[in-house]
Amino acid sequence: MRTQADRLVDRHPALDRTRLLDDLVPPPRFSEARLSTYRPDPAQPSQIEARDHVGRFSSAGALTAPRRGLGRLLGRVQEDPEPRGLYLDGGFGVGKTHLLAAAWHEAAGRKHYGTFVEYTQLAGALGFRGAVDALRGADLVCIDEFELDDPGDTVLMARLLRELADSGARLAATSNTLPGSLGSDRFAAEDFLREIQALGRLFEVVTVDGDDYRHRGAPPTPEPAAPADLAALAGRPGATVDDFADLCAHLATVHPSRYGALLDGVTEVGWSGVAPVPDQNVALRLVVLADRMYDRALPLTAGGEPLSALFDEAMLRGGYRKKYLRALSRLTALAREAGSVAA
């Protein structure tokens, strides 16, 4: 009989450079994502149009232009019938990641798929030149959740993408427009194209409008779990239960590139004593963990304060607000999934 719950704080995964490359595939939640399984909202024609754009893009095949440098590549881009790059712009939960994963699954050739953070972590582990050499030769490179809030990382990714485009890779990316910033107030696409500068001409921007499907017609946000719920979770194989403050402290000792490995073999996650995070550093680590949990579809049983209290108003108005709003959307969805598991 189990006498103590498994805990994430007892895990200390080591950096595995080979795994960083092997993991550049769509995560388990999107392992079966295909265009045929995308469910557009009938009230949002842009979602149907985006699916069709992705279909044309993923079936276009590898670049056929001679690989004679980025200048030649950019100079010829308007002659090509299909876009060399695709940028999916929209709010949270409109299916951009599903469409990006479907493009990866349905495209031919050598291909890589990762989040913006995973590519920057790869460059940190291998060095910039090492990352370029590892990715060079790909026919398609997909970047989910392209981020513009860290100038250094943005410049790094722009350089990396320029190198890969110069070698003949096609590029596909997603990013988020803040809820309430759609239509004439949309800035994400313009910011993206400006920040990647010369590469901007490679991309066709496709807008994906709509509401967050994770909460479309969903039941109310679950109430915080009772101690009995966490005790029951602790007795299930593959489940981990951690004190929230202890977990946040532990995350500071694990490089974010290893958060996926931290969750190896886990099927459900429990947090006791959830409370507002104390500062931005803790909050940003929690965002990365939330993304890795969501990728792996790990139901979350959370006790203490409501998940909506994790990030204070100053954080939700600050420069990382898109990350925090995405994390809240995903954690809430995982909490609902925990409720369905318990039921």
Side-chain angles (χ1 to χ4, degrees):
M1 177 179 294
R2 178 178 302 180
T3 59
Q4 181 177 352
D6 289 336
R7 304 186 304 171
L8 295 178
V9 298
D10 296 325
R11 298 179 171 211
H12 304 275
L15 177 64
D16 185 334
R17 297 186 178 193
T18 300
R19 177 168 175 169
L20 288 176
L21 283 170
D22 292 343
D23 281 352
L24 290 179
V25 297
R29 180 179 288 274
F30 298 101
S31 63
E32 302 299 324
R34 302 293 188 276
L35 295 177
S36 61
T37 61
Y38 179 66
R39 297 290 178 260
D41 182 349
Q44 299 292 342
S46 68
Q47 294 186 12
I48 300 172
E49 294 168 4
R51 180 192 61 193
D52 294 342
H53 273 288
V54 171
R56 291 191 293 271
F57 179 80
S58 60
S59 64
L63 294 183
T64 57
R67 299 181 179 184
R68 298 179 182 173
L70 186 60
R72 177 67 179 273
L73 183 62
L74 292 172
R76 290 171 53 87
V77 69
Q78 299 200 13
E79 301 173 10
D80 296 320
E82 298 293 342
R84 302 282 183 96
L86 189 66
Y87 174 84
L88 299 175
D89 179 46
F92 306 107
V94 295
K96 302 185 307 298
T97 297
H98 183 120
L99 290 171
L100 187 69
W104 186 94
H105 283 297
E106 300 190 16
R110 179 184 163 193
K111 48 200 177 179
H112 299 293
Y113 179 106
T115 64
F116 179 95
V117 170
E118 287 172 319
Y119 286 111
T120 58
Q121 290 168 351
L122 181 71
L126 304 183
F128 177 78
R129 184 51 52 191
V132 171
D133 291 342
L135 299 173
R136 191 187 303 277
D139 298 297
L140 174 65
V141 176
C142 296
I143 310 100
D144 196 24
E145 304 293 355
F146 201 101
E147 299 177 358
L148 299 171
D149 45 29
D150 186 310
D153 284 347
T154 301
V155 170
L156 172 71
M157 280 298 294
R159 287 182 58 207
L160 180 63
L161 295 183
R162 281 198 297 270
E163 294 262 7
L164 296 177
D166 196 29
S167 71
R170 290 188 305 140
L171 309 171
T174 74
S175 189
N176 284 322
T177 296
L178 278 173
S181 298
L182 302 176
S184 60
D185 293 326
R186 182 187 300 278
F187 295 107
E190 288 84 350
D191 291 344
F192 171 80
L193 295 176
R194 182 185 66 250
E195 293 296 335
I196 63 172
Q197 297 178 4
L199 271 178
R201 290 172 53 196
L202 281 174
F203 283 85
E204 178 183 15
V205 176
V206 175
T207 298
V208 191
D209 294 306
D211 300 321
D212 189 340
Y213 81 91
R214 288 185 282 266
H215 310 299
R216 189 190 306 158
T221 301
E223 293 294 323
D229 298 323
L230 290 162
L233 176 65
R236 295 204 285 265
T240 61
V241 177
D242 287 88
D243 174 80
F244 184 71
D246 290 346
L247 176 62
C248 289
H250 183 61
L251 293 178
T253 71
V254 180
H255 192 276
S257 64
R258 307 178 202 177
Y259 286 7
L262 190 70
L263 298 166
D264 281 351
V266 175
T267 57
E268 300 177 74
V269 172
W271 296 343
S272 64
V274 168
V277 294
D279 59 52
Q280 296 271 25
N281 290 328
V282 176
L284 291 172
R285 294 185 199 110
L286 190 63
V287 166
V288 177
L289 181 66
D291 286 341
R292 300 292 81 78
M293 288 169 53
Y294 185 77
D295 287 345
R296 289 157 177 75
L298 300 180
L300 171 64
T301 301
E305 296 193 40
L307 292 171
S308 58
L310 282 173
F311 310 114
D312 64 27
E313 287 301 316
M315 291 181 183
L316 294 178
R317 291 195 305 268
Y320 298 114
R321 60 194 183 279
K322 289 197 287 188
K323 290 185 179 183
Y324 300 146
L325 290 171
R326 183 181 77 235
L328 288 175
S329 173
R330 291 182 164 183
L331 290 173
T332 300
L334 293 177
R336 290 201 183 100
E337 292 178 10
S340 66
V341 169

